Amino acid sequence: MLTLTPTAAEAVKNIVSRVPQIDDGGVRIRDTGGESGFELSVTPTPETEDTVVVTDGARVFLDSKAAVALDDRVLDAELAGDGSVRFALSAA
């Protein structure tokens, strides 16, 4: 299952907090297939088939394809001074 570093968990919580109407939501990762990779969005609840990963209060929802593709991966984040976030995946 996908693991989040403490920095990635903080980044997810920060992103979700920027959307006032989604207080208890999370970041949903959808596998778009092919070379386009993954799509991230902020959503209030997971879809029925989503796998939910919770780390330090950060919630990440993985669609079924993303859950398979990201199994045994670690999500990390780099926080820039301007508030932007860059996510990276590595092997566990």
Side-chain angles (χ1 to χ4, degrees):
M1 179 178 293
L2 178 70
T3 305
L4 277 68
T5 66
T7 305
E10 190 61 36
V12 167
K13 289 188 290 189
N14 188 329
I15 289 167
V16 172
S17 73
R18 293 179 188 176
V19 183
Q21 57 273 42
I22 304 185
D23 291 332
D24 294 326
V27 169
R28 185 165 193 265
I29 301 176
R30 186 174 75 88
D31 186 345
T32 58
E35 292 183 20
S36 40
F38 299 98
E39 174 184 276
L40 278 68
S41 60
V42 177
T43 184
T45 57
E47 297 290 325
T48 327
E49 304 282 321
D50 286 355
T51 299
V52 178
V53 178
V54 180
T55 304
D56 297 333
R59 296 173 31 148
V60 175
F61 313 136
L62 304 170
D63 80 351
S64 58
K65 288 182 182 178
V68 171
L70 299 177
D71 190 36
D72 294 333
R73 298 288 182 171
V74 177
L75 181 67
D76 197 6
E78 180 180 313
L79 308 172
D82 64 358
S84 63
V85 178
R86 174 183 231 151
F87 287 105
L89 289 167
S90 62

